[in-house]
Each structure stands twice: as C-alpha cells, then as structure tokens.
Amino acid sequence: MYPARMPVVRLSELLGRPGPAAFLRGVVAGGRYANAYLLVGPAGVGKGTAALAFARALLCDARGGTKEQGGLFEAPDPPSAGTRATAAPGPPDDACGACPSCLKAAQLQHPDLRFLFPVSGEEKELETTVAETLQSLRDDPLYVFSYEKAASIRLSMTRELLRELGYRPFEAARRVVVVRDADRMREDQYSAMLKSLEEPGASTVWVLTTARPARLPATILSRCQRVRFGPLPEEVVAGFLRERAGVPAKTAELLAALSSGSLTRALVLRDGDPADERDAALQLLGPAARGEAAELWRAVQGFTKFGRAGREVLRRMIEFQELWLRDLLRARYGGAEVPLVNADRAGVIRKEAAGIEAAEVRRRLMVLEEVLRAVEGNVTPELALFSGLSRLTRQRFKGAAWPPHPTPRWDY
Ligand SMILES: [Zn+2]
C-alpha cells in the first residue's frame, strides 16, 4: 500500500522503472558509495522521488546508516542500542522503512538528510517559502514541484550546508545531500560542491537530479555516477492516476496520453478539466476552417494572455489536437475494437475518420509539431498558433489583413 503520509517512499516503491531503481538498489546492496550520483531524465518522471528514496536507503539503520558504536565515530547520544536492536533488518537493497532513521528521513526530518530545491521570490521570505514547500510535500503525497523560470537554489540555502560539510554528520555514518534540479545553481556553489566531491573518503553522498545535464559544469558531471531515467510508460501513469490519485479510469487514460510519460504533467493537467480543455482546443479549429481570421485571432489570444502560463496552456491545446488526430488514425486503420484516447467522443471520431486520408492526418500532425516547436522557442506564441491553425485547415485568409500585433510582448 502506498504510504499516504510519507513524502519519501522506498526504492522498492518507485513507479514502473526496473532500470534505474535496480541500479540504485544494487548500489545500496553493495554498500560502497560514490561521492555523487546524478539522476538524469525528463521532468516529472520520478527522479526526485528516486533521489529521496535512495537517500533514505543510505541513511537506514539496517543498512549501516547509523554510526558504529566504538568505531571511527562516536555513538550518538543517548545510545540508540535499544532502538537499533528492535529495528527490522529489512531488505538488503532498500530502506527498512521501520527504523528511527527511516522514519525521520521519510518525513524529511533526518538531520543528515539535506534536501535542496530551487525557489523563487523575495530573499526575506525564503525561509518561509522553503518551510511551506516542505510542509506541502509532507501533507500531500501528490505534491508537484513547480517553479518559475528564474527559480534557483539560493546561496543562503547552501551556505549553512557548506559549513556543515566540514564536520561529521550528526547521527548517521554519512550525510546525504539531495539537490533537485541541480542545474539551477550558481558558479560559486558548484565550486564549493566540487571541493566536497573531490575529497577522498568524504562522509557526504550527493544525489543530484537534472533534466538539463548540459547546464551543469563539466567538472561536476565528470565526478558523478550517472543514472538515466526515461519517460514513464503510459499505462504506469494511467495506473497511478487511477489507483493513487483517484482519477476516473477514462480521464486517467486521456491524461496519461497527454503526459508524455511525465507523471508531474499528468497531475498538473488533472487540476484542470481535461475534457473541457480538449473541447476548447478543438473549437479553435472552427474559425480557422471557416477562414475567420479575426475570430481565430481573438480565440488564440484568449490562451496567451496569461504570459508564461498561457504558453503552457497553448502547448496543451496543440497536444489535444494531436491526440485527436492520432485517434483519427487509430479509428481509421485500427478497426472498431481499437481503444481511443478520446473515448467519450468515439462516435464523432469514427465518423470524421471515415472521411479523411492518412496522408492528410500526417500533414496536420507535422504542422502541429512545428507549432509546438515554435511555441517552445522564441516565436510569439499566438502568432505561431494562428499561422499553424490556418495551415492546418489550409486557409490562407486571402484578402484579410494579417492581424496586427495587439499588445506589447511580455518578457519571456
Ligand atoms: Zn531503516
């Protein structure tokens, strides 16, 4: 059963990914740790969850996470022999889930687990922002990290940590520093981290995650053991949404199809009404097909007036169109029994599919791909969508004036 109020799960509970999870479990079982691990892969596929799960396993008492009594380190006080004796031995390659260290780490309250993540906003509110984020993460097992473009791992957050690095861990045999989106740091932070990475026999294990490894300095990259994460299979995303997020089966499938293998994306989409959004997206094609330039321009602008958020909405609009087109292909060539993503509109899709050639559907998909790329790039998104939709419906808007750029550009 999913531990509903444990923000940090165990390695064995990671979602459908035998590869990276097996690797990390192998590392735990082997008991020899590199100074740093870099979990690389697209956003929202579970790198952050895996990083914390790995940290928990490294700190587990049953895995030798606690300092040896009479060994190199002093025993923590009060002596924890009693609790250690009762701690379950647990699996050899994962956190036991029951010892004091595991429980503390699961609540992100282990003194030797440092968890850094990007934040934005005023420096004076930083502590509150961090505390609130951690609390949300504890309270909501489906918590989704989302930050603005300018969010970064702030100097004031690493300062204390960097001081601590000079000392022994508080309770555990090692300190684990998890850095989410480690590509959002400053040069001097990397230099300080590098010093720790280069230290032989260091008592700190760094676990970094990134979706943009190219932004990390080569000096850091070369000292990290890399672990690659791929997109989650659609059925894993759909299953999670159904079983753990209480999403109805049909919506779950639609969301999973839209998620590109990112659970985070699926969860963000869930907060809207996917069926309504899809209908709004499909309605955009109406004015385009009728050649109503001004109407289309107004509709397009409706999506983009919210700045960066508008861009995200717009991207989704395009993806809804793509899903629809893929359904047309499925319906036309897959036969009546092939399941459709837009199952609630199966009748409309099958009718439309009967009247359209595969080549035309592919042409439209290609146009949409170009629009998507343009939206991701620096093109004004409403212009990209406007011209894309007119190409989609082969409308040239002859005689109509190209709509003037109506508002000053916002800052991308
Ligand atoms: Zn444990």
Side-chain angles (χ1 to χ4, degrees):
M1 196 46 218
Y2 193 67
R5 292 218 164 245
M6 292 263 177
V8 180
V9 300
R10 293 159 68 194
L11 287 172
S12 58
E13 292 159 342
L14 294 179
L15 282 184
R17 48 173 70 269
F23 174 82
L24 293 173
R25 291 169 82 166
V27 170
V28 173
R32 291 174 56 88
Y33 311 115
N35 282 1
Y37 297 86
L38 179 63
L39 280 44
V40 183
V45 301
K47 303 183 301 294
T49 309
L52 287 170
F54 184 48
R56 193 178 174 197
L58 296 186
L59 292 167
C60 172
D61 294 347
R63 303 282 68 77
T66 300
K67 294 172 186 175
E68 294 299 320
Q69 207 157 3
L72 188 56
F73 302 108
E74 288 162 30
D77 56 302
S80 58
T83 43
R84 287 184 60 197
T86 55
D93 59 354
D94 200 354
C96 76
C99 72
S101 289
C102 273
L103 297 177
K104 277 184 271 188
Q107 291 303 322
L108 296 167
Q109 278 163 342
H110 195 297
D112 293 313
L113 170 60
R114 300 302 304 258
F115 179 38
L116 302 177
F117 47 89
V119 285
S120 51
E122 301 256 340
E123 186 68 26
K124 61 182 192 313
E125 286 156 14
L126 202 60
E127 242 173 79
T128 320
T129 311
V130 169
E132 280 173 359
T133 306
L134 288 175
Q135 198 51 50
S136 313
L137 185 58
R138 285 186 198 108
D139 292 344
D140 179 6
L142 302 175
Y143 180 76
V144 166
F145 275 87
S146 65
Y147 10 80
E148 296 163 21
K149 197 175 182 183
S152 64
I153 292 158
R154 307 284 269 273
L155 265 191
S156 46
M157 298 166 74
T158 49
R159 205 172 285 137
E160 189 193 349
L161 166 71
L162 295 176
R163 252 197 316 271
E164 272 176 27
L165 289 179
Y167 298 89
R168 292 171 185 168
F170 293 106
E171 292 178 6
R174 62 193 70 86
R175 174 190 293 114
V176 184
V177 185
V178 174
V179 188
R180 246 192 102 92
D181 296 295
D183 49 274
R184 290 169 180 259
M185 281 203 257
R186 274 174 38 165
E187 207 50 54
D188 44 353
Q189 292 172 299
Y190 289 126
S191 317
M193 188 201 286
L194 197 57
K195 252 192 251 162
S196 161
L197 297 189
E198 286 172 332
E199 186 192 335
S203 52
T204 299
V205 177
W206 293 79
V207 188
L208 317 176
T209 77
T210 184
R212 307 178 295 185
R215 297 196 182 195
L216 284 165
T219 44
I220 299 279
L221 285 174
S222 66
R223 283 168 181 83
C224 291
Q225 169 97 58
R226 259 187 244 204
V227 189
R228 282 177 207 287
F229 285 69
L232 295 166
E234 247 176 56
E235 61 272 19
V236 170
V237 175
F240 183 96
L241 294 173
R242 275 196 316 269
E243 289 151 29
R244 299 183 189 174
V247 175
K250 275 192 176 162
T251 314
E253 269 161 46
L254 180 60
L255 289 174
L258 279 167
S259 71
S260 314
S262 162
L263 184 60
T264 302
R265 272 196 82 197
L267 287 171
V268 169
L269 289 171
R270 168 198 63 147
D271 295 337
D273 185 330
D276 275 3
E277 272 192 50
R278 176 205 55 200
D279 294 346
L282 296 172
Q283 268 164 23
L284 269 180
L285 281 176
R290 289 193 299 276
E292 305 273 4
E295 197 189 325
L296 176 60
W297 183 243
R298 268 197 304 278
V300 161
Q301 276 187 290
F303 292 117
T304 54
K305 64 186 172 199
F306 304 114
R308 289 201 58 78
R311 184 180 292 229
E312 172 58 29
V313 174
L314 209 142
R315 199 159 61 104
R316 243 182 282 160
M317 289 293 135
I318 298 164
E319 286 166 349
F320 276 117
Q321 312 254 9
E322 288 188 337
L323 281 181
W324 186 269
L325 291 172
R326 297 223 164 83
D327 266 355
L328 288 182
L329 286 179
R330 282 189 201 108
R332 186 166 170 95
Y333 299 101
E337 69 286 350
V338 169
L340 303 175
V341 172
N342 298 284
D344 58 326
R345 301 284 293 274
V348 183
I349 287 171
R350 294 197 188 281
K351 210 164 122 196
E352 203 179 323
I356 192 167
E357 291 302 321
E360 173 59 14
V361 176
R362 294 215 177 86
R363 184 191 71 84
R364 292 184 187 184
L365 280 169
M366 270 161 64
V367 171
L368 289 175
E369 272 308 307
E370 280 169 32
V371 179
L372 256 189
R373 270 204 300 277
V375 168
E376 305 284 336
N378 282 322
V379 177
T380 316
E382 62 262 49
L383 273 182
L385 186 63
F386 180 87
S387 70
L389 288 175
S390 30
R391 280 164 61 209
L392 210 61
T393 49
R394 293 187 189 277
Q395 278 291 346
R396 297 280 183 268
F397 298 116
K398 272 190 214 112
W402 188 265
H405 204 288
T407 43
R409 289 170 190 229
W410 50 80
D411 183 29
Y412 295 122

